[in-house]
């Protein structure tokens, strides 16, 4: 090819770039293109990440530069009741939310998969909770689950007695999980829709010919076909669930419900590390635990995936 | 494929095709007819889920329109306000500067859209289309950044902002997410998928790298750019944790922080909180309704790649 070749990453493009490239493109210009992104990412993501790791070994406070204290923060964590409460609640959140978010959006995707009239309206409508801000969603549900809110007045109308969704330690956590699932349904539904579009219909037909009913076809055809997507959803939702903040913060209040029993780990990070007297070093140590558990969760999910393959 | 065509499923499809030509009926994505009772069941379920997903928003809207004399705690509940009024929307503005908060949110969201579109397009182009030493390292930086959980570094982001003297400013709210790594990688993928020949012609004609980027590559990835813009707007408008940490002066609050403040301070009047949440959610629902086509494509792509 006689024409000059563009500078791209494909191996054959390297040939012939040579002298002309120098004339048409300053050596610095790729870096100028990437500079804004690299600067922002470096300054506000990677540098804070490294400084979180470093700070976790110091006694730094908001206004006081800290000194190296070794593992003191981590030793203190072991004896901090609030930390264990946070770890318990964040872990319970994963156990409560993930199975629901793996299964329910799949069923929802099957429901909206068929192109029947009006289906795009339903798909968009089911996605609305994802679009709404978590604060709006939280406040709506606080009002719905209030002692005198809609859910309780419906319960009373049906002859039940009001339930203290927002006053009991465990019911608060359960309600917050419900809100997380409610808000996440539409998001994971879309992921499943994309996966379902790739399931060969011959599989379903073959199963139907063999006399398999809808439930059996779901278990023997649909689930195996979207299994890798289920693993993806499990990974995404478990990591997100472990880092839960807003739902519990809004429903239990900033102090984490009765006696702080509903505090999650990220709530604890926020409470410990901010403000003028914030214990930045200690909050960083909790953050490091959050990182570590997140990584372990990812590895566990991926491992579960491999096992099923074998 | 020839053996597959002889199998039963293919025959069944042809039969279904014939049937469809004879009497046009509601059909699924494979062109097969959907049976009546199954259709009814589907719509019933769809309406049930609809009530669960949209109902809470409608109940909030209804509460916000109920006047001061109306009992909002009645049992059985009343869905339609007996005498709808916009009074609560006026009162919420008297209680907190809700329109200032909305303006702050709008500024933050608009800035986030501009910086993300510009920054991610530039960086994405550099990663996909330009060749230089260190390109792999640059790509790796963005991939690593995407894996860092924001919740874990939020205190360090806060201290970084303090060191820069930008805490408690809207600039401080925008900066950490203003060129998100995910968006950079989305743009990179979009540029990678462009056929290489279209830029080659411009290159022969002597177009420099800036001209090629602006005139040829960028117009070709408008769809992805729209997705980035939508995500950037929604992300900034909806964000809660970061503004909560970085903003301390109530006059600079964004809408989400202002609402939380309203809820904390005036929790006794649900009509006010309801009006506030409707002000916060209405623009997004409108935006989403207008752009949902791009949206669904983008969410699917983004999720699978992310």
């Amino acid at each position: 090819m006689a024409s000059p070749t563009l500078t791209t990453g494909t191996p054959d493009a390297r040939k012939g770039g040579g002298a002309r490239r120098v004339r048409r493109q300053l050596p610095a210009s790729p870096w100028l293109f990437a500079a804004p992104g690299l600067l922002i990412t470096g300054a506000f993501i990677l540098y804070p990440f490294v400084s979180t790791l470093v700070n976790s070994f110091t006694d730094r406070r908001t206004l006081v530069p800290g000194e190296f204290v070794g593992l003191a923060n981590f030793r203190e964590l072991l004896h901090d009741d609030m930390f264990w409460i946070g770890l318990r609640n964040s872990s319970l959140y994963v156990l409560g939310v993930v199975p629901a978010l793996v299964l329910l959006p799949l069923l929802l995707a099957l429901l909206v998969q068929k192109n029947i009239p009006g289906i795009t309206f339903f798909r968009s409508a089911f996605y609305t909770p994802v679009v709404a801000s978590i604060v709006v969603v939280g406040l709506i549900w606080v009002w719905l689950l209030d002692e005198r809110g809609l859910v309780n007045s419906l319960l009373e109308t049906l002859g039940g007695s009001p339930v203290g969704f927002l006053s009991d330690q465990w019911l608060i956590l359960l309600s917050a999980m419900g809100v997380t699932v409610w808000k996440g349904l539409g998001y994971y539904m879309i992921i499943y829709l994309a996966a379902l579009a790739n399931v060969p219909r011959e599989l379903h037909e073959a199963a139907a010919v063999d006399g398999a009913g809808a439930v059996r076809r779901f278990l023997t055809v649909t689930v195996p076909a979207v299994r890798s997507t289920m693993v993806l959803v499990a990974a995404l939702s478990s990591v997100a669930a472990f880092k839960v903040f807003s739902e519990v913060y809004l429903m239990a209040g900033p102090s984490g419900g009765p006696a702080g029993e509903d505090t999650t780990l990220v709530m604890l990070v926020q409470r410990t590390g901010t403000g003028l007297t914030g214990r930045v070093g200690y909050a960083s140590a909790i953050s490091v635990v959050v990182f570590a558990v997140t990584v372990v969760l990812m590895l566990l999910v991926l491992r579960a995936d491999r096992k099923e393959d074998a | 494929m020839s053996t597959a065509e002889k199998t039963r499923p293919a025959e069944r499809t042809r039969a279904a095709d014939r049937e469809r030509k004879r009497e046009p009926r509601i059909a699924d994505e494979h062109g097969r007819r959907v049976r009546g009772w199954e259709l009814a069941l589907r719509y019933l379920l769809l309406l049930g889920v609809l009530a669960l997903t949209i109902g809470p928003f409608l109940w909030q809207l209804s509460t916000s329109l109920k006047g001061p004399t109306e009992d909002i705690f009645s049992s059985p509940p009343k869905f339609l306000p007996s005498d709808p009024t916009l009074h609560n929307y006026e009162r919420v503005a008297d209680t907190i500067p809700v329109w200032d908060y909305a303006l702050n949110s709008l500024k933050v969201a608009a800035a986030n859209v501009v910086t993300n579109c510009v920054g991610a397009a530039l960086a994405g182009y550099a990663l996909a289309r330009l060749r230089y030493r260190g390109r792999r390292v640059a790509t790796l930086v963005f991939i690593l950044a995407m894996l860092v959980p924001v919740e874990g570094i939020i205190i360090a982001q806060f201290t970084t902002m303090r060191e820069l003297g930008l805490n408690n400013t809207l600039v401080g709210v925008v900066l950490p997410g203003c060129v998100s790594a995910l968006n950079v990688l989305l743009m990179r993928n979009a540029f990678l998928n462009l056929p290489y020949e279209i830029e080659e012609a411009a290159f022969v004609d002597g177009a420099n790298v800036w001209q090629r980027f602006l005139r040829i590559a960028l117009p070709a990835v408008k769809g992805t750019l729209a997705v980035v813009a939508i995500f950037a707007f929604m992300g900034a408008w909806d964000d809660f944790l970061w503004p909560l940490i970085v903003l301390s002066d109530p006059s600079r609050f964004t809408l989400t922080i202002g609402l939380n403040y309203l809820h904390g301070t005036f929790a006794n009047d649900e009509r006010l909180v309801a009006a506030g949440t409707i002000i916060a959610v209405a623009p997004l629902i409108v935006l989403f309704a207008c752009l949902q086509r791009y949206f669904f494509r983008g969410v699917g792509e983004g999720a699978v790649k992310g």
Side-chain angles (χ1 to χ4, degrees):
Chain A
M1 198 162 60
S3 63
T5 313
L6 262 184
T7 52
T8 72
T10 50
D12 59 320
R14 285 182 199 170
K15 289 175 277 172
R20 281 178 191 246
R21 189 173 79 229
V22 179
R23 247 178 282 147
R24 299 263 167 86
Q25 183 192 306
L26 293 171
S29 59
W31 290 108
L32 290 177
F33 270 71
L38 285 174
L39 278 176
I40 293 294
T41 305
F44 298 111
I45 306 290
L46 298 181
Y47 168 70
F49 180 72
V50 173
S51 80
T52 301
L53 297 179
V54 173
N55 284 339
S56 70
F57 298 106
T58 70
D59 60 359
R60 182 171 178 177
R61 285 171 181 267
T62 306
L63 297 175
V64 189
E67 279 176 29
F68 182 78
V69 293
L71 290 171
N73 286 327
F74 294 95
R75 271 199 295 272
E76 190 182 336
L77 280 182
L78 294 179
H79 306 289
D80 182 349
D81 290 344
M82 219 56 219
F83 167 74
W84 289 108
I85 288 173
L87 186 62
R88 177 197 70 196
N89 288 337
S90 290
S91 309
L92 282 176
Y93 220 82
V94 174
L95 292 176
V97 162
V98 174
L101 279 181
V102 169
L103 192 63
L104 294 179
L106 175 58
L107 298 176
L108 205 55
L110 288 171
L111 184 64
V112 299
Q113 192 194 10
K114 276 207 171 121
N115 282 320
I116 53 181
I119 200 67
T120 42
F121 164 76
F122 285 107
R123 280 182 202 155
S124 313
F126 296 173
Y127 198 76
T128 316
V130 186
V131 178
S133 130
I134 185 63
V135 176
V136 168
V137 165
L139 293 182
I140 287 179
W141 279 96
V142 164
W143 169 222
L144 286 170
L145 296 175
D146 188 273
E147 202 85 27
R148 300 178 295 171
L150 178 65
V151 175
N152 271 323
S153 67
L154 285 177
L155 275 179
E156 277 181 80
T157 311
L158 295 173
S161 48
V163 178
F165 292 107
L166 301 178
S167 50
D168 175 81
Q169 174 201 338
W170 298 110
L171 282 180
I172 291 175
L173 206 60
L174 208 63
S175 306
M177 288 178 192
V179 171
T180 304
V181 172
W182 181 78
K183 191 175 178 353
L185 279 178
Y187 179 73
Y188 296 111
M189 174 189 86
I190 299 297
I191 300 183
Y192 277 125
L193 265 181
L196 285 175
N198 295 327
V199 178
R201 111 187 107 101
E202 285 77 11
L203 288 178
H204 272 284
E205 290 181 342
V209 169
D210 290 346
V215 175
R216 206 175 160 76
R217 267 181 292 151
F218 173 74
L219 290 175
T220 56
V221 179
T222 309
V223 169
V226 299
R227 211 203 45 174
S228 63
T229 308
M230 294 175 86
V231 172
L232 175 77
V233 170
L236 291 175
S237 63
S238 59
V239 168
F242 190 74
K243 295 183 300 191
V244 63
F245 171 81
S246 307
E247 291 91 322
V248 184
Y249 181 93
L250 291 162
M251 304 190 83
S255 55
E261 282 284 343
D262 288 309
T263 302
T264 69
L265 276 187
V266 174
M267 282 172 78
L268 196 57
V269 170
Q270 183 260 350
R271 213 154 67 208
T272 319
T274 56
L276 292 179
T277 55
R279 298 182 64 196
V280 172
Y282 194 59
S284 300
I286 307 173
S287 301
V288 170
V289 174
V290 175
F291 290 147
V293 176
T294 322
V295 172
V296 170
L297 275 176
M298 289 290 262
L299 292 178
L300 278 178
V301 174
L302 292 177
R303 212 191 134 131
D305 185 33
R306 261 218 316 275
K307 262 190 193 150
E308 277 179 47
D309 265 336
Chain B
M1 272 320 284
S2 63
T3 50
E5 274 164 17
K6 280 175 200 149
T7 58
R8 223 180 292 188
E11 276 167 29
R12 280 163 53 88
T13 321
R14 277 199 291 273
D17 281 343
R18 278 197 300 275
E19 197 173 26
R20 194 175 42 176
K21 268 172 215 153
R22 218 170 34 234
E23 61 179 317
R25 280 287 190 94
I26 292 163
D28 67 5
E29 68 278 11
H30 304 308
R32 279 169 304 183
R33 216 184 79 200
V34 180
R35 278 165 297 181
W37 65 267
E38 194 201 324
L39 204 63
L41 184 67
R42 268 179 186 272
Y43 277 114
L44 209 65
L45 285 170
L46 284 169
L47 288 172
V49 181
L50 186 72
L52 274 178
T53 48
I54 297 296
F57 291 102
L58 294 178
W59 179 241
Q60 192 79 347
L61 180 66
S62 151
T63 305
S64 78
L65 296 175
K66 283 175 181 168
T69 52
E70 192 166 342
D71 180 16
I72 57 170
F73 302 111
S74 67
S75 174
K78 276 185 63 189
F79 281 90
L80 291 177
S82 57
D83 185 15
T85 169
L86 292 174
H87 182 60
N88 297 317
Y89 290 84
E90 289 165 35
R91 278 204 312 143
V92 72
D94 294 337
T95 316
I96 58 164
V98 69
W99 302 115
D100 292 346
Y101 292 169
L103 188 64
N104 285 343
S105 278
L106 194 65
K107 283 181 195 165
V108 167
N112 210 41
V113 169
V114 172
T115 53
N116 265 297
C117 284
V118 174
L122 284 170
Y125 187 74
L127 297 184
R129 288 287 169 147
L130 304 176
R131 214 166 61 79
Y132 48 98
R133 286 166 68 87
R135 189 172 73 150
R136 273 163 193 273
V137 177
T139 312
L140 195 66
V141 164
F142 290 112
I143 292 175
L144 284 178
M146 204 181 63
L147 298 176
V148 173
V150 176
E151 289 85 351
I153 60 170
I154 208 130
I155 297 300
Q157 284 182 330
F158 175 61
T159 52
T160 308
M161 272 315 151
R162 279 189 62 87
E163 282 156 13
L164 294 172
L166 290 171
N167 59 317
N168 202 16
T169 65
L170 292 183
V171 176
V173 176
V174 175
L175 267 180
C178 78
V179 185
S180 105
L182 175 67
N183 288 337
V184 170
L185 294 172
L186 275 176
M187 291 309 299
R188 170 182 175 266
N189 286 345
F191 284 123
L192 276 179
N193 289 337
L194 283 186
Y196 173 58
E197 286 74 20
I198 57 165
E199 267 189 272
E200 203 165 43
F203 186 70
V204 174
D205 290 343
N208 67 28
V209 63
W210 177 248
Q211 290 165 328
R212 294 200 309 265
F213 166 70
L214 212 58
R215 304 248 173 90
I216 296 163
L218 204 55
V221 296
K222 267 189 298 195
T224 309
L225 208 58
V227 168
V228 167
I230 299 168
F231 273 133
F233 190 94
M234 267 185 42
W237 185 270
D238 287 349
D239 195 14
F240 179 55
L241 178 57
W242 175 240
L244 181 72
I245 284 177
V246 86
L247 295 175
S248 49
D249 179 358
S251 73
R252 298 200 175 133
F253 280 177
T254 58
L255 206 43
T256 52
I257 308 306
L259 280 180
N260 178 50
Y261 182 67
L262 175 75
H263 166 64
T265 324
F266 306 95
N268 50 349
D269 198 341
E270 276 303 332
R271 297 175 185 85
L272 282 194
V273 180
T277 54
I278 294 297
I279 293 173
V281 80
L284 268 187
I285 291 186
V286 171
L287 184 78
F288 169 63
C290 296
L291 299 173
Q292 40 130 334
R293 249 179 340 120
Y294 292 111
F295 208 85
F296 281 134
R297 212 169 54 200
V299 173
E301 278 174 15
V304 173
K305 281 169 192 159

